[in-house]
Amino acid sequence: MLKQIILGVVSSTVIMASSLVSEAKNAGLSAIPSDKQELMKLIDDKRNPITAEKTQLGKMLYFEPRLSKSGLISCNTCHNLATGGDDGLAAAVGHKWTVNPHHLGSPTVYNAVFFDVQFWDGRAPNLEAQAGGPILAAPEMANTAPNVVAVVTSIPEYVEKFQIAYGKDVKITYKLIADTIGNFERTLVTPSAFDDYLNGQENALSQAEKAGMKKFIEVGCATCHTGIALGGSMNMLGVTAKYKYTNVGDFKGDANGMVKVPTLRNITQTAPYFHNGQVTTLKEAIVEMGRIQLGTSISDADATSIELFLHTLDGRKPKIIYPILATRTASTPVQNVH
């Protein structure tokens, strides 16, 4: 009899776990594959396949401040891989301490490969297109494409690495530089306990965390925060009510008023929240989302439960060793902060 009771409890637990996993998947939530080959199918770009040589070079360029006009700002300045993949500021700060004129914050670069589009207004279709934008933007890195190419091609070590990555006859263009940075960014994937659970590890989440996931789905958060990134697509901001800080900055979304949905992966590390960084705590963000997107008042208890679940999205980051950058030469353009 005792054996039957134990088997019944185990069977019931397995059914409950299976039910929650099915519920999550039916709601559109997806796991980062645990199989490396399956993951590669999702993150690779057939137009510019990921290779060790490209990603190593891309990492150097990602950390390369000489791609900016001042010689001080790199991609990592605003998308800091040590602090959640962003800069922790309400609005990004760029060239000559310029605050983003639209009061937009820097989205995380971690798991951005899973986004449908890049930038808050979704204007870039992929990481390669996105990587080329900030370098030329006046409030950000403020450089010019010809100057970027001149810097890179004046340094023999970079020329050699491009030849190794792309072939001896490679022509180093601004687009190829941006593509190479994007190639590296495609590898910045952070699987978490959430993925372990969806991939079959029943004990990866506690009962309280599972309850938080169920509440996340029931409340309707997965309506927008869906897919592998739990975000990354375009949607309206303020479906049922007006965002209370909408007048901070002039950003109104794309031509149709759509805004990119932020990823919830590593969300505990990427405060402040919303496009203009006006919400400082995750609980407030959850409650505000319920009010303006779902037309519901999320209780303190439910917000606490959902927040607990969101902690399971804190991922295992790839090991990033700060690269030793190539040495400039006499022909390398002098950086100019003016």
Side-chain angles (χ1 to χ4, degrees):
M1 177 63 71
L2 178 60
K3 183 177 180 180
Q4 290 177 326
I5 292 173
I6 293 173
L7 288 175
V9 170
V10 171
S11 176
S12 176
T13 301
V14 170
I15 291 172
M16 288 171 61
S18 175
S19 174
L20 181 56
V21 170
S22 296
E23 192 175 345
K25 292 181 178 179
N26 288 338
L29 302 182
S30 301
I32 294 174
S34 56
D35 181 83
K36 290 184 178 180
Q37 290 184 338
E38 291 303 311
L39 174 60
M40 187 59 68
K41 291 178 183 178
L42 294 177
I43 68 173
D44 203 7
D45 184 353
K46 293 179 180 179
R47 297 165 299 179
N48 187 22
I50 294 172
T51 67
E53 293 78 13
K54 291 176 189 175
T55 56
Q56 179 60 30
L57 174 57
K59 181 172 75 169
M60 293 178 73
L61 297 171
Y62 185 89
F63 283 95
E64 179 57 86
R66 290 167 296 190
L67 297 187
S68 68
K69 182 178 181 180
S70 66
L72 296 173
I73 302 172
S74 71
C75 301
N76 193 65
T77 303
C78 291
H79 303 284
N80 195 323
L81 300 183
T83 59
D86 69 350
D87 53 19
L89 302 175
V93 175
H95 185 65
K96 298 175 70 172
W97 298 106
T98 301
V99 177
N100 183 278
H102 307 292
H103 210 280
L104 292 172
S106 303
T108 180
V109 70
Y110 280 120
N111 304 296
V113 66
F114 299 123
F115 299 172
D116 293 341
V117 291
Q118 308 295 329
F119 292 112
W120 284 109
D121 62 1
R123 66 184 182 274
N126 52 48
L127 285 170
E128 289 75 12
Q130 186 280 330
I135 298 173
L136 307 184
E140 298 183 59
M141 295 170 73
N143 214 336
T144 66
N147 195 59
V148 171
V149 173
V151 168
V152 172
T153 56
S154 72
I155 300 175
E157 184 178 342
Y158 278 140
V159 173
E160 181 182 4
K161 287 184 179 297
F162 268 99
Q163 290 175 340
I164 292 171
Y166 293 100
K168 285 289 184 182
D169 297 326
V170 64
K171 179 176 175 58
I172 302 175
T173 63
Y174 181 74
K175 182 179 183 302
L176 188 62
I177 292 169
D179 285 353
T180 306
I181 295 171
N183 202 272
F184 164 65
E185 291 176 337
R186 287 180 174 274
T187 67
L188 300 176
V189 174
T190 67
S192 68
F194 163 79
D195 302 291
D196 297 338
Y197 178 68
L198 287 194
N199 285 328
Q201 295 183 33
E202 163 60 23
N203 295 325
L205 302 186
S206 68
Q207 291 303 316
E209 289 166 341
K210 292 171 188 174
M213 180 194 292
K214 188 171 183 64
K215 183 60 63 177
F216 176 89
I217 296 167
E218 289 176 349
V219 166
C221 304
T223 304
C224 297
H225 294 284
T226 188
I228 293 182
L230 286 85
S233 60
M234 301 296 288
N235 211 320
M236 296 292 295
L237 179 66
V239 174
T240 59
K242 188 177 181 180
Y243 169 47
K244 61 184 176 181
Y245 300 112
T246 192
N247 291 326
V248 177
D250 63 359
F251 180 70
K252 305 302 179 187
D254 66 8
N256 298 312
M258 306 283 272
V259 177
K260 189 186 73 176
V261 180
T263 178
L264 294 182
R265 290 186 177 275
N266 303 301
I267 192 67
T268 67
Q269 303 164 31
T270 57
Y273 304 112
F274 291 82
H275 62 280
N276 55 10
Q278 295 304 292
V279 176
T280 57
T281 70
L282 194 48
K283 184 175 288 186
E284 182 186 355
I286 293 167
V287 172
E288 179 69 355
M289 278 278 97
R291 185 182 75 84
I292 68 174
Q293 298 300 103
L294 301 170
T296 186
S297 178
I298 298 177
S299 69
D300 185 74
D302 286 349
T304 298
S305 181
I306 292 170
E307 182 177 4
L308 182 64
F309 160 64
L310 295 180
H311 278 264
T312 72
L313 297 168
D314 286 348
R316 300 180 289 274
K317 296 184 177 66
K319 185 176 182 181
I320 304 293
I321 298 174
Y322 197 102
I324 302 301
L325 303 180
T327 303
R328 62 177 295 119
T329 67
S331 62
T332 301
V334 175
Q335 310 301 137
N336 184 1
V337 297
H338 301 295

